[in-house]
Amino acid sequence: DWELDIWGRARAGKSAAIAEWQAGGLDYRAARASLAAQVCKAWFALAEANQQVSLAELALSSREQTEEAVRGRFQRDMRAEGGSASQLRLSQTDVATAKAELAARQGNQDAARRQLELLMGRYPVARISGNAVLPAVASTPPSGLPSELLLRRPDIMAAERRYAARVKRIKEAQLAIFPSFTITGSTGTTTEALSDIVNSDFGVWSVGANLLQPLLTGGRVRGEIRIRKSNQRESLAVLHQTVLSAFGEVEQALASEQWLHRREIETLKARDLARDAAQAAEDDYRDGNGNVLTLFVAETRKIKLESQSVALRRLRLNNRVDLHLALGGGFEVNP
């Protein structure tokens, strides 16, 4: 039998189904983008962990060299030149602290490897190969990014498609109040239902305030319409919230980029000064002109700033990934 879609109810249902299918495809795209972002961040975490381990190894080597110099002066009873027992204990403490820091950095490196393996669908045994290194951060995002870029976001488009589907579902429910009948019977001839409608001699249907409303199912149809209208309002609220959240994510990522960039610049300046200070303190101490406490402070400050600069680089890279997702892709625009 063929059902005649006089009122368009079947077409409305089909349109709703297509919109729901499109929303599902957009959800898949959003999930893929999210997974790609997680993999990028996991790779950056591993790259930072590798560099932090290298810095910790250099720090340990430096501490051990300082301890050796202090020990030599202590054994020669050169207290006036930084060879006292207290200074030796202090240098030994720094070596032990550096070893503990190296162990912590190696633990972070191991955890980063396992996390990356999990995201790649592998068993987490921390055996992933490759010496990841943090890349340079690309140029600052251009000003005047158009808001239309957010239309590339799959979550926004999915919310819009679900709203469109709910609108069509309301129409489908409203049209259900009109009669449906098959155009041909089992023998290929016109059905009695079609003749009844054409001849206006079909007692089940009432012509009044509600045109051709089914007397037995009218209440159920109206209830279904109210439910679908409620669903449509919910979908509209979700769409509004999704768009608002998207703008919030873009603004947050752009603001974070500004502050992180400024912070990284100043940290790099401080790191370079700390390097010079540590080198000068080491030269003075080995020449017998410097104070061992000055050397310890200079080395500690240098190590701390080296570590902070690497951590800030990863934060900026992670923020770029967030901005990429917030804009539904890259932020390049044509002039």
Side-chain angles (χ1 to χ4, degrees):
D1 293 352
W2 292 89
E3 182 175 330
L4 188 61
D5 188 27
I6 296 177
W7 322 112
R9 181 173 62 87
R11 290 192 298 273
K14 180 180 179 181
S15 297
I18 291 174
E20 289 165 350
W21 172 77
Q22 291 171 332
L26 290 163
D27 286 339
Y28 173 69
R29 281 180 52 194
R32 287 187 60 184
S34 177
L35 177 59
Q38 292 180 56
V39 171
C40 284
K41 289 183 177 182
W43 179 261
F44 294 152
L46 177 58
E48 183 201 352
N50 290 341
Q51 292 183 245
Q52 296 287 11
V53 167
S54 297
L55 289 174
E57 290 172 343
L58 290 174
L60 175 58
S61 176
S62 176
R63 297 299 195 190
E64 289 175 338
Q65 291 174 8
T66 301
E67 181 200 8
E68 183 180 353
V70 173
R71 184 186 298 277
R73 295 189 180 189
F74 173 73
Q75 291 174 346
R76 294 192 299 272
D77 197 23
M78 299 170 63
R79 294 183 179 85
E81 298 182 12
S84 66
S86 61
Q87 291 170 336
L88 177 59
R89 291 292 181 269
L90 182 59
S91 64
Q92 290 173 333
T93 300
D94 280 351
V95 169
T97 301
K99 288 181 178 179
E101 182 66 19
L102 176 58
R105 297 299 187 185
Q106 289 172 334
N108 292 339
Q109 183 186 53
D110 184 87
R113 285 175 174 167
R114 295 179 193 276
Q115 179 63 25
L116 185 56
E117 287 170 339
L118 283 172
L119 290 173
M120 295 174 65
R122 302 180 185 177
Y123 190 82
V125 291
R127 292 178 183 172
I128 190 169
S129 60
N131 296 321
V133 177
L134 288 175
V137 181
S139 59
T140 303
S143 59
L145 294 175
S147 60
E148 287 78 7
L149 288 175
L150 271 66
L151 293 178
R152 301 181 304 173
R153 286 183 54 139
D155 59 337
I156 291 180
M157 297 308 299
E160 186 278 330
R161 289 288 80 200
R162 287 194 171 88
Y163 172 71
R166 293 290 173 83
V167 172
K168 290 297 183 180
R169 291 300 183 192
I170 292 175
K171 183 177 181 181
E172 180 187 32
Q174 291 172 332
L175 293 175
I177 207 167
F178 297 107
S180 62
F181 47 87
T182 56
I183 193 171
T184 58
S186 58
T187 61
T189 60
T190 303
T191 62
E192 293 181 1
L194 180 57
S195 298
D196 290 335
I197 294 297
V198 172
N199 297 327
S200 300
D201 187 21
F202 191 35
V204 177
W205 304 96
S206 171
V207 180
N210 295 318
L211 180 63
L212 300 177
Q213 177 182 357
L215 295 177
L216 299 179
T217 61
R220 179 185 61 79
V221 171
R222 287 193 296 271
E224 182 65 22
I225 292 173
R226 287 193 295 269
I227 292 173
R228 296 193 182 190
K229 284 184 176 180
S230 176
N231 292 337
Q232 179 262 338
R233 290 192 294 270
E234 179 186 2
S235 296
L236 182 59
V238 170
L239 177 57
H240 287 168
Q241 183 59 46
T242 302
V243 173
L244 184 61
S245 297
F247 278 111
E249 290 170 7
V250 172
E251 291 294 336
Q252 182 60 49
L254 290 174
S256 296
E257 167 63 26
Q258 178 184 359
W259 294 111
L260 286 172
H261 190 201
R262 289 175 56 182
R263 184 180 170 189
E264 185 183 28
I265 290 175
E266 297 304 324
T267 300
L268 290 175
K269 290 180 181 178
R271 181 204 63 183
D272 293 339
L273 292 172
R275 285 177 176 176
D276 295 339
Q279 185 61 52
E282 182 179 353
D283 293 340
D284 290 343
Y285 182 74
R286 294 189 184 281
D287 293 340
N289 301 320
N291 185 288
V292 69
L293 293 178
T294 301
L295 177 60
F296 289 158
V297 170
E299 288 183 340
T300 299
R301 190 168 296 170
K302 181 192 74 170
I303 293 168
K304 180 180 179 180
L305 288 168
E306 293 275 11
S307 178
Q308 285 182 359
S309 65
V310 173
L312 281 171
R313 174 67 61 81
R314 181 166 78 96
L315 287 176
R316 287 193 68 198
L317 289 168
N318 282 351
N319 190 62
R320 287 300 179 85
V321 173
D322 292 337
L323 180 58
H324 183 91
L325 283 178
L327 293 174
F331 53 77
E332 293 83 359
V333 293
N334 295 323

